[in-house]
Amino acid sequence: NREAPIVHLEFARYLSPEEAAKMENPPPVGEESAVVVLERADGESPWLQVEPVSVAANQGAVDALVTELQTARGRAHIDAPESFADFGLEPPRQRITVVDSAEGYPQTFYFGEVNTEADKGGVYVRKEGDASVFLMDGHILTLFPRTTNSFRERRILTRVQGPVRLERIAGDESYTLVLGEDGEWTMTDPALDDTDPFFVSQFISALKTIEGTRFYPGGPAEYGLDNPEATFRITLEGDT
């Protein structure tokens, strides 16, 4: 359904025979691994990654995949093939399951080998419960998450609303910046009359664009973050 927004998305990879051959003690071939589950309340709500860990999701990356799923077309259908294995679909390489707001039930698609010889090439796909195989533009493979962290939000500021209050809490080096109704930033604690607007603007721009590079296992205490040297509190419009 191209009109109804997708509200639930699952992505899973499968262990291929080639990958298993390189492993010392591989799990069964065809076993799902690296499962990622994303959900949102409706088409206007932000995506959240709920598995394997509950975190904010990168809206642009998820939306790109969802848009491709709803607009891409299948072609070169092969009805009732003798074996799905001939197309890399038994076991498959990836699985995608979606639920949209209109149908309300899961629809699952399996992705197999890439065909470089057919007209325009593409990746073999099969819909669960359907005996046919078809080709889909291979571009969709570039939108799949490469790891379980690929769809995690890495930015500090992720909302459209801008900051209206910035606080640095660090003992004697604490300060508070407040955005006034005139659009000018003022340091209120300690009080200063000559706050540099260019420096504050550059700082906010950095907060909007900077991204994390990797995620570490374990809790905050392992990295000295249970008792940090400094804490930044950012208040957005609407007192968020």
Side-chain angles (χ1 to χ4, degrees):
N1 191 327
R2 295 186 175 188
E3 304 302 323
I6 290 175
V7 294
H8 179 95
L9 171 66
E10 296 180 22
F11 173 84
R13 291 190 183 277
Y14 289 80
L15 181 66
S16 69
E18 294 79 12
E19 292 172 323
K22 299 176 183 178
M23 300 174 67
E24 187 172 341
N25 296 300
V29 172
E31 183 175 286
E32 285 193 353
S33 63
V35 179
V36 177
V37 181
L38 302 114
E39 293 180 344
R40 58 178 172 174
D42 51 52
E44 303 301 320
S45 300
W47 285 101
L48 298 175
Q49 179 173 310
V50 296
E51 293 290 344
V53 61
S54 181
V55 291
N58 182 316
Q59 306 303 304
V62 181
D63 284 340
L65 175 56
V66 166
T67 298
E68 185 74 5
L69 286 169
Q70 289 192 293
T71 59
R73 293 179 177 272
R75 54 185 168 80
H77 288 73
I78 303 168
D79 294 321
E82 291 184 5
S83 172
F84 289 134
D86 295 339
F87 306 92
L89 288 164
E90 199 173 64
R93 300 294 186 265
Q94 298 95 8
R95 169 182 67 85
I96 282 185
T97 299
V98 298
V99 178
D100 66 46
S101 61
E103 307 298 337
Y105 60 84
Q107 302 178 67
T108 296
F109 299 86
Y110 298 101
F111 294 78
E113 293 180 351
V114 173
N115 186 318
T116 58
E117 298 179 357
D119 183 33
K120 298 182 181 179
V123 57
Y124 287 114
V125 184
R126 178 176 74 89
K127 183 178 181 180
E128 187 174 64
D130 195 329
S132 64
V133 172
F134 58 90
L135 280 173
M136 195 174 186
D137 191 335
H139 170 65
I140 194 170
L141 299 178
T142 67
L143 304 177
F144 289 168
R146 296 183 179 276
T147 71
T148 54
N149 287 324
S150 293
F151 279 169
R152 289 183 67 167
E153 180 58 79
R154 297 171 181 267
R155 296 170 297 172
I156 293 177
L157 287 183
T158 61
R159 303 203 178 190
V160 176
Q161 304 100 317
V164 295
R165 184 183 181 92
L166 300 170
E167 300 169 78
R168 183 180 192 270
I169 305 166
D172 295 338
E173 296 181 352
S174 300
Y175 62 74
T176 301
L177 285 163
V178 178
L179 181 64
E181 294 183 359
D182 57 359
E184 297 294 329
W185 285 92
T186 303
M187 185 173 286
T188 61
D189 183 19
L192 292 177
D193 296 327
D194 56 349
T195 304
D196 186 339
F198 177 76
F199 188 88
V200 177
S201 177
Q202 291 290 93
F203 177 54
I204 293 175
S205 295
L207 289 177
K208 290 181 177 179
T209 57
I210 194 169
E211 294 185 357
T213 55
R214 63 173 295 189
F215 294 94
Y216 288 86
E222 295 183 42
Y223 307 98
L225 290 167
D226 56 333
N227 185 27
E229 295 182 11
T231 297
F232 279 91
R233 182 178 291 120
I234 305 166
T235 303
L236 306 180
E237 295 175 16
D239 293 328
T240 302

